[in-house]
């Protein structure tokens, strides 16, 4: 009996030891999405055959853009050396969306809530999202109030975040920068925006990035979401050259952003950068690369890049594996030390992003209407 008591006491002590929370260094988080940029270009560079076949609009491509280093130098120098890249299917490393629509709004919803809302969000119709996103939950924590910013090129983002309900400051589409204390760059961008005739659902990424970067420097938020869209616009138009050029420009924005974060003591060594996309696209044949839908094979295939103080620099993931887009929400919450539950099952955080394994939260996750972890049996390969 004594032995059993001793054993139980020992087990109890071990349990407590394991429950010690791991302290993360991440205090700030930047999420960047590059709409519909395929894993084929991320891991393989621009396709020379497609470049030759689909006429290039005016403007020059980066030299030797067929190589991935030339096309996406920030991803393939800084992130590959200091961070992680997931989704090279040529190596058996997979990342998939689980929503059946394989369109933008369903993709952003899955990424930002942690589940595929197939019954509620079936297409890109601009309806206010009935679901709560992880950024909304984070922004309600006392330490994150007025600390979450969203900038998007696509004018659907106020709907995706249900801005009227969530109160998140979402600047998207043809909206100018508003509010008191605008900086000189923001006022200049407003002038540029006014000079353009609004056309379509997307403003150019140059404006979206400019606004987001200027606001970041002015307000130093803890969380910024930057949603770029030029890649998808040019792809749907069938302009492969413009599509890969937009990807190259997005990579330059990332480099500029990261350089700034490293130069600012508020962010340096305390900021994690996540870069991903909302869906894949079709394959190279018959112009299918231009589009994405539930009927086009490859539209569920995505990728992810991570760079930050809590992420081991394992570079390009070369081992076979399977991750899902619905794991992003819990990963974001865990990086910032925020407990996140939703009224549906949400995907588990991506363990390999955290040095030394997945950290426990300082406070245990209150049992919500749904559990936090949903290892799915479904394989979307
Ligand atoms: Zn999209």
């Amino acid at each position: 009996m004594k032995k059993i008591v001793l054993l139980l006491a020992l087990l109890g002590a071990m349990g407590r030891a394991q429950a010690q929370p791991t302290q993360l260094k991440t205090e700030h988080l930047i999420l960047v999405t590059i709409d519909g940029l395929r894993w084929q270009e991320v891991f393989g560079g621009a396709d020379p055959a497609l470049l030759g076949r689909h006429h290039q609009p005016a403007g020059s491509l980066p030299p030797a853009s067929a190589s991935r280093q030339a096309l996406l130098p920030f991803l393939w120098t800084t992130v590959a050396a200091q961070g992680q890249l997931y989704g090279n299917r040529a190596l058996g490393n997979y990342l998939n969306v689980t929503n059946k629509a394989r369109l933008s709004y369903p993709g952003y919803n899955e990424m930002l809530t942690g589940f595929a809302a197939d019954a509620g969000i079936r297409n890109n119709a601009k309806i206010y999202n009935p679901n709560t996103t992880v950024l909304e939950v984070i922004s309600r924590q006392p330490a994150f109030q007025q600390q979450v910013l969203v900038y998007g090129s696509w004018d659907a983002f106020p709907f995706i975040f249900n801005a009227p309900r969530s109160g998140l400051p979402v600047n998207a589409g043809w909206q100018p920068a508003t509010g008191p204390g605008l900086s000189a760059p923001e006022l200049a961008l407003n002038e540029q925006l006014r000079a353009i005739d609004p056309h379509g659902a997307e403003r150019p990424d140059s404006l979206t990035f400019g606004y987001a970067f200027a606001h970041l420097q002015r307000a130093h938020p803890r969380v910024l979401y930057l949603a770029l869209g030029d890649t998808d616009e040019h792809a749907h138009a069938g302009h492969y050259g413009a599509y890969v050029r937009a990807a190259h420009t997005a990579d330059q924005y990332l480099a500029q952003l990261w350089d700034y974060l490293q130069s600012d003591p508020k962010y340096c060594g305390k900021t994690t950068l996540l870069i991903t996309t909302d869906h894949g696209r079709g394959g190279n044949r018959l112009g299918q690369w231009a589009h994405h839908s539930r009927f086009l094979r490859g539209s569920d295939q995505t990728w992810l890049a991570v760079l930050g103080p809590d992420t081991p620099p394992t570079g390009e993931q070369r081992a076979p594996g399977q991750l899902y887009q619905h794991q992003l929400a819990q990963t974001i919450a865990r990086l910032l030390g925020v407990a996140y539950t939703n009224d549906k099952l949400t995907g588990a955080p991506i363990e390999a992003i955290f040095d030394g394994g997945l950290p426990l939260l300082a406070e245990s996750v209150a049992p919500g209407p749904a559990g936090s972890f949903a290892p799915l049996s479904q394989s979307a390969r």
Side-chain angles (χ1 to χ4, degrees):
M1 187 64 190
K2 254 186 194 167
K3 269 184 191 165
I4 291 171
V5 171
L6 201 67
L7 187 66
L8 285 174
L10 190 68
L11 284 173
M14 281 168 67
R16 277 198 298 280
Q18 283 171 348
Q20 286 299 311
T22 310
Q23 194 58 47
L24 292 181
K25 298 190 185 81
T26 298
E27 294 173 18
H28 311 272
L29 187 136
I30 316 277
L31 170 65
V32 179
T33 51
I34 307 174
D35 198 304
L37 175 60
R38 300 191 307 172
W39 69 269
Q40 287 93 327
E41 278 75 34
V42 170
F43 293 96
D47 188 281
L50 291 181
L51 275 177
R53 217 175 303 146
H54 298 271
H55 72 280
Q56 250 171 259
S60 61
L61 277 173
S65 63
S67 95
R68 64 190 194 181
Q69 288 86 353
L71 184 67
L72 305 167
F74 176 74
L75 283 192
W76 289 109
T77 52
T78 307
V79 180
Q82 300 169 32
Q84 302 180 347
L85 290 126
Y86 295 88
N88 189 350
R89 305 182 88 84
L91 303 173
N93 196 267
Y94 299 123
L95 207 153
N96 290 75
V97 309
T98 63
N99 72 78
K100 295 188 175 64
R102 296 154 189 193
L103 298 173
S104 300
Y105 191 157
Y108 291 117
N109 178 79
E110 178 176 344
M111 177 194 308
L112 295 161
T113 63
F115 55 86
D118 289 323
I121 311 290
R122 292 195 188 92
N123 52 42
N124 289 339
K126 285 172 190 155
I127 55 162
Y128 281 114
N129 199 340
N131 305 306
T132 305
T133 68
V134 67
L135 296 192
E136 180 176 346
V137 170
I138 288 168
S139 73
R140 292 209 180 120
Q141 311 297 313
F144 289 90
Q145 272 166 21
Q146 316 295 323
Q147 292 290 320
V148 181
L149 298 179
V150 178
Y151 278 88
S153 290
W154 189 26
D155 65 6
F157 280 100
F159 296 87
I160 294 170
F161 285 101
N162 200 335
R165 185 206 65 215
S166 68
L168 282 169
V170 182
N171 178 299
W174 298 94
Q175 277 179 270
T178 53
L182 293 183
S183 62
E186 286 168 302
L187 294 170
L189 288 161
N190 279 352
E191 288 304 309
Q192 282 182 42
L193 187 79
R194 272 187 213 109
I196 306 173
D197 262 344
H199 52 278
E202 306 234 7
R203 77 180 155 202
D205 282 347
S206 57
L207 290 169
T208 304
F209 171 73
Y211 278 127
F213 191 45
H215 200 167
L216 179 85
Q217 290 171 293
R218 168 166 64 86
H220 290 92
R222 290 191 67 181
V223 180
L224 169 70
Y225 174 31
L226 169 64
L228 301 171
D230 283 357
T231 38
D232 194 67
E233 287 278 289
H234 292 307
H236 282 300
H239 298 147
Y240 189 78
Y243 158 72
V244 293
R245 195 163 59 241
H248 182 70
T249 304
D251 183 271
Q252 290 175 323
Y253 295 150
L254 291 168
Q256 199 179 334
L257 199 55
W258 190 249
D259 274 356
Y260 169 71
L261 296 170
Q262 301 320 293
S263 73
D264 187 328
K266 162 128 183 164
Y267 289 111
C268 182
K270 296 176 252 179
T271 305
T272 290
L273 175 62
L274 294 169
I275 311 149
T276 187
T277 189
D278 53 331
H279 50 71
R281 322 191 74 84
N284 286 6
R285 293 185 61 242
L286 305 169
Q288 290 179 348
W289 62 270
H291 303 293
H292 55 96
S293 76
R294 66 176 68 222
F295 306 111
L296 265 183
R297 196 183 158 86
S299 301
D300 61 328
Q301 302 172 355
T302 61
W303 53 272
L304 168 70
V306 193
L307 179 61
D310 298 306
T311 300
T314 51
E316 181 180 22
Q317 304 300 297
R318 307 187 74 87
Q322 174 74 65
L323 297 174
Y324 296 102
Q325 189 179 40
H326 62 217
Q327 296 184 264
L328 261 292
Q330 286 292 357
T331 303
I332 289 167
R334 198 58 74 96
L335 278 163
L336 291 169
V338 173
Y340 174 62
T341 56
N342 211 303
D343 58 5
K344 295 195 180 68
L345 287 174
T346 53
I350 300 167
E351 207 153 332
I353 284 177
F354 300 90
D355 207 355
L358 200 59
L360 297 165
L361 287 165
E363 295 154 38
S364 59
V365 181
S372 301
F373 305 100
L376 293 195
S377 54
Q378 171 193 1
S379 170
R381 283 178 208 184

